[in-house]
Amino acid sequence: MKAPRELWTSRVAFILAAAGSAVGLGNIWRFSYVVGTNGGAAFIIVYLIIIAVIGYPMMVTEIALGRKTHKNAIGAFKALAPNTPWWLVGALGVLAGFVILSFYSVVAGWSVSYIFKTIGGSLGADADFAGVFVGHITSAWAPVIWHAVFMAITLGIIAAGVVGGIGRAVRILMPALFVLLIILVLRSLTLPGAGAGVAFILQPDFSELTAQSILGAVGQAFFTLSLGMGCMITYGSYLNDKDDVPDNGAWVVALDTGVALLAGFAIFPAVFALGFDPAAGAGLAFITLPAVFASMPGGVLFGVLFFVLLSIAALTSAISLLEVVVAWLVDEYDWSRKKASLIIGVLIFLVGVPASLSNGAISFNIAGMPFFDFLDFLQESILLPLGGLLTAVFAGHVWTAKKTREYANTERGKIVLGGWYDVLIKYIVPIAIAVVMIFGLIDKFS
Ligand code: PFF
């Protein structure tokens, strides 16, 4: 006989798990370099507006679809629109979970290996920081082994179940993450000269904004909130029918945004105080920050804390990516959770191997990009925006905005979705995503 579907043990368990999914490499590694290369405060303001106008409505929509159906990403669409092709939106999400985790785990592996590089002294004051990083990611074995370790932990947690695996892990990891982050912010803000970094995040210079940075802000919003791929549908499906949707969604969005901003306060004051370039790009966390740590008092300790923080954040997101795929096989095909976690975990690991190698160990290009960059491009420019667009159209026009809103409002919390929700989900969200997608693709291939 099939075991009954699990439910979160409490409201806090859901919020921690969903915030754990949202808070990840996207908030620390990606957010900091995107802010750094897009001029700082002005970009942050645009990003916050997009979070409110697109991110929050999408968040409550996905959670509502999950709680309503108690189904995985594909099953939820099947339940609400049987015998129609809408389940393909969920399938796009399952594919995205697979694609994202295969390279996400590689980056998470870099982060874990940097804990040991910092302890081992290979990132001391006279190190060639860029050389160490490039040497690491282009080598054949080390990044693949760390990727394997990270995937093994991820699949172990998912195999242990929603309550015993995910719920238990986030209850320990999320508080640890907040404590580490606060320590790093305090260290950074108390360095002499930190003020210039604070100004960089708080004083907007709108002349720095370009159309490209607005597109970047939308992409960042989807990725950081784990939206557009059925992840929040899946996590929402383990909610009790009595749990509220609008308040819980607001908590997740607020925690994710708070962590991104705090990560900014941990990183930029230190970068400025010690005279480094905030616009260093994707290498900011792995090249610039180790250099920053090496030149500050207590640097080894703070360096280790930073990479532990980054690895924890990555882990609580990685489990949610794997859960999207596993929940589908468990719900729809009656696979046992252990079997699904093991098989899918190993397959994702295998796809991650050529992704890691394509960074330099071998030459493996698709559509003119290394396979690693291709996977990132696929999720950022196609899978997440398309999934988000179609989910908004589904909720707004097929299930209908009125029904989605009334359903989300059934358990009254502090926030009640009003007519504004209908306007956002029916028109503003899908049109904004469509525009961004089209411009992004034209820009990429022109
Ligand atoms: N939100 C995660 C981050 O910011 O790192 C990444 C992510 C997790 C994206 C889960 C999508 C997802 F479904």
Side-chain angles (χ1 to χ4, degrees):
M1 211 195 72
K2 209 176 159 188
R5 214 166 181 278
E6 290 185 271
L7 293 176
W8 302 114
T9 48
S10 69
R11 170 176 187 210
V12 174
F14 167 76
I15 293 176
L16 287 180
S21 167
V23 173
L25 295 170
N27 299 60
I28 304 168
W29 167 63
R30 202 169 186 285
F31 181 74
S32 61
Y33 84 72
V34 176
V35 168
T37 50
N38 284 286
F43 176 86
I44 295 183
I45 292 174
V46 173
Y47 168 80
L48 292 177
I49 294 171
I50 290 171
I51 291 284
V53 174
I54 299 182
Y56 179 70
M58 284 298 300
M59 178 65 72
V60 284
T61 302
E62 288 201 19
I63 297 175
L65 289 172
R67 194 194 68 173
K68 169 79 186 170
T69 56
H70 295 297
K71 286 273 162 55
N72 63 92
I74 294 181
F77 287 95
K78 279 192 181 159
L80 289 172
N83 307 316
T84 67
W86 279 103
W87 63 271
L88 287 166
V89 181
L92 216 57
V94 170
L95 177 67
F98 199 101
V99 165
I100 296 177
L101 187 50
S102 63
F103 74 87
Y104 198 87
S105 168
V106 173
V107 180
W110 302 345
S111 174
V112 181
S113 83
Y114 262 65
I115 301 173
F116 298 98
K117 283 195 199 307
T118 310
I119 296 175
S122 51
L123 295 167
D126 49 359
D128 166 12
F129 297 96
V132 171
F133 179 61
V134 173
H136 179 70
I137 70 168
T138 58
S139 65
W141 286 101
V144 170
I145 291 170
W146 286 114
H147 161 54
V149 170
F150 187 82
M151 275 311 297
I153 299 172
T154 303
L155 82 82
I157 295 175
I158 289 303
V162 174
V163 173
I166 306 176
R168 196 175 331 161
V170 296
R171 211 170 50 225
I172 303 165
L173 296 175
M174 293 307 285
L177 182 146
F178 289 118
V179 172
L180 291 177
L181 189 56
I182 300 293
I183 296 175
L184 288 166
V185 170
L186 292 177
R187 166 72 280 193
S188 183
L189 286 177
T190 48
L191 287 168
V198 176
F200 180 72
I201 337 182
L202 292 185
Q203 286 173 6
D205 170 2
F206 287 99
S207 66
E208 294 272 349
L209 274 188
T210 59
Q212 206 52 46
S213 50
I214 297 175
L215 300 185
V218 176
Q220 174 65 18
F222 267 91
F223 188 77
T224 190
L225 291 173
S226 309
L227 293 173
M229 54 157 284
C231 184
M232 291 301 166
I233 298 180
T234 307
Y235 271 20
S237 76
Y238 302 120
L239 277 172
N240 198 296
D241 290 327
K242 292 259 166 298
D243 283 314
D244 127 300
V245 175
D247 285 11
N248 281 340
W251 268 105
V252 177
V253 171
L255 285 170
D256 183 76
T257 308
V259 169
L261 295 177
L262 282 176
F265 280 104
I267 293 171
F268 292 109
V271 166
F272 276 85
L274 300 161
F276 289 90
D277 176 13
L284 187 69
F286 292 100
I287 299 172
T288 310
L289 287 185
V292 167
F293 294 129
S295 50
M296 73 163 58
V300 171
L301 173 66
F302 291 104
V304 169
L305 293 182
F306 175 78
F307 287 108
V308 170
L309 168 77
L310 192 60
S311 305
I312 290 177
L315 182 60
T316 56
S317 299
I319 57 180
S320 72
L321 288 160
L322 183 57
E323 179 62 21
V324 171
V325 188
V326 166
W328 162 62
L329 291 166
V330 170
D331 283 355
E332 305 292 306
Y333 297 97
D334 279 347
W335 281 30
S336 78
R337 176 167 276 281
K338 289 205 169 56
K339 170 177 156 191
S341 314
L342 185 66
I343 294 182
I344 299 303
V346 170
L347 285 178
I348 291 178
F349 164 72
L350 291 175
V351 175
V353 172
S356 175
L357 296 178
S358 76
N359 281 320
I362 59 166
S363 159
F364 175 27
N365 287 0
I366 293 190
M369 304 167 232
F371 184 52
F372 182 97
D373 299 36
F374 172 74
L375 293 175
D376 190 24
F377 160 76
L378 192 62
Q379 65 83 12
E380 181 187 21
S381 304
I382 299 176
L383 295 174
L384 295 194
L386 189 61
L389 172 68
L390 294 172
T391 304
V393 170
F394 180 83
H397 301 271
V398 179
W399 194 25
T400 73
K402 185 163 173 284
K403 273 203 214 147
T404 313
R405 168 164 55 86
E406 282 170 1
Y407 176 74
N409 280 337
T410 47
E411 299 304 318
R412 291 266 162 140
K414 290 199 182 58
I415 305 174
V416 179
L417 304 183
W420 51 267
Y421 168 83
D422 300 20
V423 178
L424 290 175
I425 205 73
K426 280 164 87 165
Y427 309 111
I428 312 275
V429 171
I431 293 171
I433 301 174
V435 169
V436 165
M437 246 190 105
I438 292 166
F439 277 97
L441 289 175
I442 292 176
D443 183 71
K444 179 85 191 171
F445 291 106
S446 60

